Amino acid sequence: MANLKEIRNRISSVSSTMQITSAMKMVSAAKLKKAQDAITAMRPYSNKLTELLQSLSATLDADSGSKYAEQREIKNVLIVAVTSNRGLCGAFNSNIIKQTNILINDVYATKNVSVLAIGKKANDAFAKQNRVIGNKSEIFDNLTFDNVSVIAEMLMDKFVSGEFDKIEVVYNHFKNAATQIIMTEQFLPIVPVESDDNINLDYVFEPSKLEIVEELIPKSLKTQLYKGIRDSFASEHGARMTAMHKATDNATELRDQLKLTYNKARQAAITNEILEIVGGAEALNN
């Protein structure tokens, strides 16, 4: 009967785990809807603003170009790794950490690479390598454009001052609840638009070109970073909902298997008891 007690304890433990994972799945599903609506609504604006910025950059002369488009020899690189503050979301965080390590060890192996962590998991991973220059995990407590703008301004200042020659952002792009795509986007310097003879870049600027550049480029960069973090935020809830859904299914399957094992063991124990009683009765009769 000790074996039956052990199985009952396992059934109880698995059932409790199943209730927790099911609750977490529902919570993530509710948060996902709001996060998905937010990123879906801002993508068209962000993409059009980026397209306009790249087209505008292509019209700038070398001597009138923006300080954010300056191309210089790459010696110091900053990688902005966007993860979550919590786990239990499948490979969501490990994929970002893996991609960042590829950039550090392969792509920029000969450069001085630092990491700005947005998310506790990124900070925990790269703090061991002494590469983290800042931890902005608190941004997810109040994810707004104004709060992200502060981080974007800091990145722009570090680039303009020459502290870093290139800044890249690594994050999860939200495709759907079950699919997240790892993205590596160059934040600074601004990526120039590819030349295309079919695109008319002959603009008439009002007000002056310099005023437009000074106003548009910082706004575009802030929007680009905000979109990336928003994308990652929606992806996190999608990944967690999917992971908890699979965990709940696995717990349900394991519970059913344990119940079947318990019933078989209980039936065997009862059968043995009956056989012992019958055997004892036969012995008394003889």
Side-chain angles (χ1 to χ4, degrees), residues 7-24 244 247-248 251-252 254-255 258-259:
I7 296 175
R8 283 200 303 268
N9 290 337
R10 288 194 63 192
I11 292 174
S12 177
S13 176
V14 171
S15 298
S16 298
T17 301
M18 186 180 67
Q19 291 177 347
I20 294 172
T21 56
S22 179
M24 291 183 67
M244 291 301 99
T248 302
T252 302
L254 179 58
R255 183 194 60 181
L258 287 171
K259 283 185 175 180

Side-chain angles (χ1 to χ4, degrees), residues 205-221:
F205 296 98
E206 181 63 36
S208 69
K209 181 186 299 186
L210 183 59
E211 290 181 80
I212 294 176
V213 168
E214 290 178 347
E215 176 69 23
L216 181 62
I217 289 181
K219 184 176 182 180
S220 176
L221 290 171

Side-chain angles (χ1 to χ4, degrees), residues 15-271:
S15 298
S16 298
T17 301
M18 186 180 67
Q19 291 177 347
I20 294 172
T21 56
S22 179
M24 291 183 67
K25 171 190 169 184
M26 290 187 289
V27 170
S28 291
K31 291 182 178 180
L32 172 63
K33 181 63 171 64
K34 183 177 180 180
Q36 182 178 355
D37 291 344
I39 187 59
T40 302
M42 77 167 296
R43 270 181 187 164
Y45 171 79
S46 175
N47 293 339
K48 192 63 180 179
L49 186 60
T50 301
E51 177 186 338
L52 178 61
L53 173 62
Q54 291 179 338
S55 299
L56 179 61
S57 299
T59 69
L60 297 173
D61 300 327
D63 58 348
S64 62
S66 169
K67 55 188 176 182
Y68 301 117
E70 179 185 355
Q71 302 287 336
R72 50 183 181 246
E73 181 183 357
I74 299 176
K75 296 181 180 179
N76 300 306
V77 179
L78 177 62
I79 300 175
V80 182
V82 186
T83 62
S84 66
N85 289 334
R86 297 184 298 144
L88 297 177
C89 47
F92 175 84
N93 292 312
S94 60
N95 285 340
I96 294 296
I97 294 170
K98 180 179 178 181
Q99 177 62 24
T100 304
N101 278 322
I102 290 175
L103 293 176
I104 293 173
N105 300 321
D106 297 337
V107 180
Y108 300 116
T110 61
K111 315 298 182 184
N112 181 26
V113 183
S114 301
V115 175
L116 175 66
I118 298 182
K120 184 176 182 294
K121 295 300 180 180
N123 182 69
D124 292 344
F126 297 107
K128 300 175 183 177
Q129 303 178 18
N130 295 320
R131 294 185 181 274
V132 177
I133 65 165
N135 178 18
K136 302 296 181 180
S137 303
E138 71 281 355
I139 192 69
F140 294 111
D141 296 334
N142 186 20
L143 185 53
T144 63
F145 180 80
D146 289 339
N147 289 337
V148 174
S149 295
V150 175
I151 301 176
E153 289 172 357
M154 179 193 70
L155 295 175
M156 288 185 277
D157 291 341
K158 288 182 178 297
F159 177 79
V160 172
S161 66
E163 184 176 347
F164 294 103
D165 306 307
K166 189 174 185 180
I167 299 177
E168 292 200 309
V169 182
V170 182
Y171 67 95
N172 280 285
H173 169 73
F174 178 81
K175 183 176 182 181
N176 54 54
T179 306
Q180 297 83 38
I181 303 172
I182 304 299
M183 299 291 292
T184 302
E185 289 185 354
Q186 182 171 315
F187 186 71
L188 286 169
I190 297 169
V191 180
V193 66
E194 297 181 0
S195 60
D196 190 337
D197 296 336
N198 297 324
I199 298 179
N200 181 15
L201 297 178
D202 185 17
Y203 293 105
V204 175
F205 296 98
E206 181 63 36
S208 69
K209 181 186 299 186
L210 183 59
E211 290 181 80
I212 294 176
V213 168
E214 290 178 347
E215 176 69 23
L216 181 62
I217 289 181
K219 184 176 182 180
S220 176
L221 290 171
K222 293 174 183 178
T223 303
Q224 179 185 346
L225 183 62
Y226 182 58
K227 180 184 75 69
I229 297 177
R230 266 289 176 192
D231 243 335
S232 179
F233 188 64
S235 297
E236 175 192 349
H237 292 302
R240 182 170 290 110
M241 185 186 74
T242 302
M244 291 301 99
H245 175 72
K246 292 180 180 179
T248 302
D249 289 346
N250 292 337
T252 302
E253 182 180 352
L254 179 58
R255 183 194 60 181
D256 293 342
Q257 291 176 352
L258 287 171
K259 283 185 175 180
L260 181 61
T261 301
Y262 175 79
N263 290 334
K264 287 181 178 180
R266 183 169 177 271
Q267 186 178 21
I270 293 173
T271 302

